[in-house]
């Protein structure tokens, strides 16, 4: 052993040591992450209640899913979170970062304030917002609406307003992180581009469209993907903000992950939960592949 | 085409004074170079003219019009930046046309002017590329082209050659000079390289620490430096300086007494700094051309042969002297040899103030 190792070149020795160190986390990861994940595929073809024996049922879980109106509603909700939340969230973050980048005094403090919600636990935040949305006299928002002479709103109790109402704190929570990423991207653009454009007489719209946004593309793609994944996996906020963790009136706010959770740990239907997990996995995988494509095709 | 006039220009960044009062008149069609050591305020002065910075005090006139409150785009200037500032996502053609698009010119006119500038700079084959796909020299030319298409009244250059290697720099320098002779637009060019300044300038403005040390043609600055700083900055290798004393009509050095040039006025205390350029020494039989009093003996310390010339460090009475000899022959290290000073090329400065004593 000693002789074998000392016979290697320096580069090989370093490689051997690197593999020795990497093997430990790799084994751990395989055990606690990859294996259960792979097992989920097998599980999605079975029926299992967590304690009894596993029974192979073929594609029965998927057939059941396709025929389940609640599944389709939940999938629709998930994409509604994505399609409403993504543009709103990125636009808002860009506007904040863009203007924050222009001010000199208090920039650090303001950025820290925007970042703060990112450090808060979703559960605590959910409960605070849940209180905001309560009907009067408890709810803050309705109290304000009344004070300003507007009609009261049902918010979480309405099938149409509940989902956007859940989305607002989700966007607010993600804002800090996105602002920080956007600001880093903006700061990386050399000042001389703006100065050259100023001398060239470009208006702010031309500068934004032809210089700032193209140079911000890497940050934009990164946030596009991370935000999408975050929205597609939305769970703890919904679970805590809706009464009893049920997913809103008539499942109005229920996202896919909450549905998976309920199938698995509410009804002990591990096979059905796994089948839904596989669907989510496929969506996330497609999105990640899209990201790699977008980043690579960049000039 | 326009003149540029600076009147009492001052610029502070917070509490630091960077430009400390500058008056300067640049004529129409002139090529003026701002030169000086790093941090002397060259870029700041250029950016003030461009309108990228606001002057703390004073007036800037372009073409006779005060432009203090005029936006950069309305000053009718074009600027070439040190890092070129080419917009990375755009092709060369779109980079060149950026300013014209901003001015909302018709597309046909933009195309015509872009192609014209591209032809002038030999960029025709590069129009479809992006800046990332160009070499340093090509980028530099695109940056020049972008300035050219705007057909400005004044060109501003901020160290446009500093990112190029030495060989390319010489080549592009020549191109810039040719270009200026062709289009004859007023140009202000910033550099810290005195060779660039000497070769390009109609007039050099030598700056130090936010003030003008001397303004003049390259020949003026080389032959009649106003003070010791200018004398030391212009010329390479740099001028030798020796502490000396004025005794009647003679300059007293530790190893010789030289006849004082007639154009010098005596300082009050007689203490002077004598400046002699390395190329104003003679050696061997060449020394017979000058009067006896200008000759001295020295030991040859270091010899650096450079082909058509050689650089020596010689030692006379304990003082090291830089000497440049033209010609292929060069003396042996360690030998003692006769040298002489060309008496017509002495520079005499007041030891206390550093100012020239030339009348
Ligand atoms: N925006 C600024 N804020 C504060 N100080 C500045 C600013 N810009 C320049 N300075 C200071 O002004 C002085 C002159 O700067 P400037 O860039 O004009 O020098 P320069 O002559 O162009 O030097 P270099 O040859 O290194 O480019 C420097 O001491 C610099 O630190
Ligand atoms: Mg500079």
């Amino acid at each position: 052993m000693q002789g074998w190792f000392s016979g290697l070149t320096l580069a090989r020795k370093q490689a051997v040591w690197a593999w020795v160190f990497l093997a430990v986390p790799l084994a751990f990861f395989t055990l606690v992450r990859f294996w259960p994940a792979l097992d989920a595929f097998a599980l999605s073809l079975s029926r299992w209640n967590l304690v009894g024996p596993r029974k192979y049922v073929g594609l029965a879980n998927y057939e059941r899913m396709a025929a389940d109106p609640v599944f389709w509603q939940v999938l629709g909700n998930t994409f509604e979170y994505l399609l409403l939340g993504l543009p709103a969230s990125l636009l808002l973050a860009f506007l904040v970062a863009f203007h924050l980048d222009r001010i000199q005094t208090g920039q650090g403090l303001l950025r820290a304030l925007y970042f703060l919600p990112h450090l808060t636990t979703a559960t605590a935040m959910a409960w605070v917002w849940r209180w905001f949305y309560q009907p009067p006299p408890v709810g803050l928002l309705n109290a304000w609406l009344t004070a300003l002479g507007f009609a009261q709103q049902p918010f979480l109790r309405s099938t149409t307003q509940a989902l956007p109402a859940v989305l607002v704190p989700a966007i607010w929570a993600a804002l800090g992180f996105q602002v920080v990423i956007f600001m880093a991207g903006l700061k990386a653009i050399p000042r001389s581009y703006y100065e050259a454009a100023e001398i060239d007489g470009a208006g702010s719209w031309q500068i934004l469209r032809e210089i700032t946004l193209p140079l911000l593309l890497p940050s934009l793609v990164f946030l596009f993907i991370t935000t999408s994944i975050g929205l597609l996996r939305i769970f703890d906020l919904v679970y805590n903000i809706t009464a009893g963790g049920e997913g809103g009136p008539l499942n109005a706010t229920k996202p896919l992950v909450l549905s998976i959770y309920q199938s698995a740990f509410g009804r002990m239907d591990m096979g059905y939960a796994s089948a839904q997990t596989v669907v989510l996995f496929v969506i996330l995988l497609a999105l990640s592949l899209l990201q790699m494509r977008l980043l690579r095709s960049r000039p | 085409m326009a003149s540029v006039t600076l009147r009492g220009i001052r610029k502070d960044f917070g509490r630091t004074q960077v430009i400390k009062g500058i008056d300067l008149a640049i004529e129409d069609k002139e090529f003026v170079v701002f030169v000086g050591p790093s941090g002397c305020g060259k870029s700041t002065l250029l950016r003030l003219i461009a309108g990228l910075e606001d002057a703390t005090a004073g007036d800037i006139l372009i073409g006779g019009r005060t432009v203090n409150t005029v936006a950069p785009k309305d000053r009718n200037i074009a600027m070439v930046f040190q890092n070129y500032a080419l917009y990375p996502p755009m092709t060369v053609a779109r980079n060149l046309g950026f300013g014209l698009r901003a001015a909302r010119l018709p597309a046909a006119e933009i195309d015509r002017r872009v192609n014209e500038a591209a032809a002038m700079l030999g960029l025709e084959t590069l129009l479809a590329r992006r800046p990332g796909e160009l070499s340093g020299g090509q980028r530099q030319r695109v940056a020049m082209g972008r300035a050219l298409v705007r057909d400005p009244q004044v060109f501003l250059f901020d160290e446009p050659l500093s990112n190029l290697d030495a060989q390319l720099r010489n080549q592009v320098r020549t191109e810039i000079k040719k270009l200026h002779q062709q289009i004859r637009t007023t140009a202000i060019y910033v550099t810290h390289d005195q060779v660039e300044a000497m070769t390009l300038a109609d007039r050099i403005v030598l700056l130090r620490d936010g003030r003008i040390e001397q303004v003049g043609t390259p020949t003026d600055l080389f032959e009649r430096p106003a003070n010791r700083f200018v004398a030391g900055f212009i010329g390479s290798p740099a001028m030798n300086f020796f502490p000396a004393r004025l005794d009647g009509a003679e300059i007293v050095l530790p190893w010789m007494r030289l006849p004082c040039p007639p154009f010098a006025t005596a300082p009050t205390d007689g203490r002077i700094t004598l400046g002699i350029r390395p190329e104003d020494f003679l050696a061997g039989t060449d020394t017979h051309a000058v009067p006896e009093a200008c000759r001295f003996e020295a030991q040859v310390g270091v010899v650096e042969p450079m082909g058509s010339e050689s650089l020596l460090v010689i030692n006379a009475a304990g003082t090291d002297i830089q000497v440049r000899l033209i010609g292929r022959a060069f003396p042996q290290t360690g030998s003692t040899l006769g040298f002489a000073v060309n008496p017509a090329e002495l520079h005499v400065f007041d030891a206390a103030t550093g100012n020239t004593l030339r009348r």
Side-chain angles (χ1 to χ4, degrees), chain B residues 13 16 18 37-45 53 159 192:
Chain B
F13 287 111
T16 19
V18 174
S38 189
C40 69
K42 311 178 287 288
S43 298
T44 305
L45 197 55
E53 306 280 357
E159 309 219 14
H192 62 261

Side-chain angles (χ1 to χ4, degrees), chain A residues 140-243:
Chain A
L140 187 71
L141 292 179
N142 267 321
W144 283 353
L145 284 177
T146 319
L148 292 171
F150 292 103
Q152 293 172 11
Q153 298 298 327
F155 293 124
L156 295 171
R157 285 154 199 242
S158 143
T159 50
T160 47
Q161 289 182 9
L163 193 144
V166 173
L167 206 47
V168 168
I171 291 172
W172 175 70
L175 189 65
F177 177 71
Q178 294 166 337
V179 164
V180 167
I181 297 289
F182 268 138
M183 281 187 73
L186 286 170
K187 285 219 187 307
I189 302 176
R191 280 218 55 79
S192 57
Y193 291 146
Y194 296 119
E195 290 176 347
E198 198 182 340
I199 290 176
D200 274 343
S204 43
W205 176 239
Q206 192 186 2
I207 292 175
L208 184 68
R209 204 166 41 94
E210 298 202 43
I211 300 173
T212 312
L213 286 180
L215 289 173
L216 212 54
L217 197 65
S219 313
L220 201 63
V221 170
F222 172 74
L223 285 178
F224 185 91
I225 300 300
T226 51
T227 308
S228 303
I229 292 177
L231 286 167
L232 287 172
R233 295 200 314 191
I234 192 166
F235 167 71
D236 40 8
L237 197 63
V238 190
Y239 182 80
N240 285 294
I241 211 169
T242 53

Side-chain angles (χ1 to χ4, degrees), chain A residues 190-203 206-207 209-211 214-215 299, chain B residues 47 52 72-73 77 79 81 83 85-90 94 98-99 101-102 130 146 150:
Chain A
R191 280 218 55 79
S192 57
Y193 291 146
Y194 296 119
E195 290 176 347
E198 198 182 340
I199 290 176
D200 274 343
Q206 192 186 2
I207 292 175
R209 204 166 41 94
E210 298 202 43
I211 300 173
L215 289 173
Chain B
R47 293 165 58 81
L52 296 173
K73 68 181 166 89
I77 47 151
M79 185 155 166
F81 289 81
N83 64 359
L86 301 178
Y87 313 122
M90 295 178 215
R94 284 187 68 78
F98 185 85
R101 283 203 301 286
R130 285 173 212 279
R146 198 173 60 185
R150 303 197 54 223

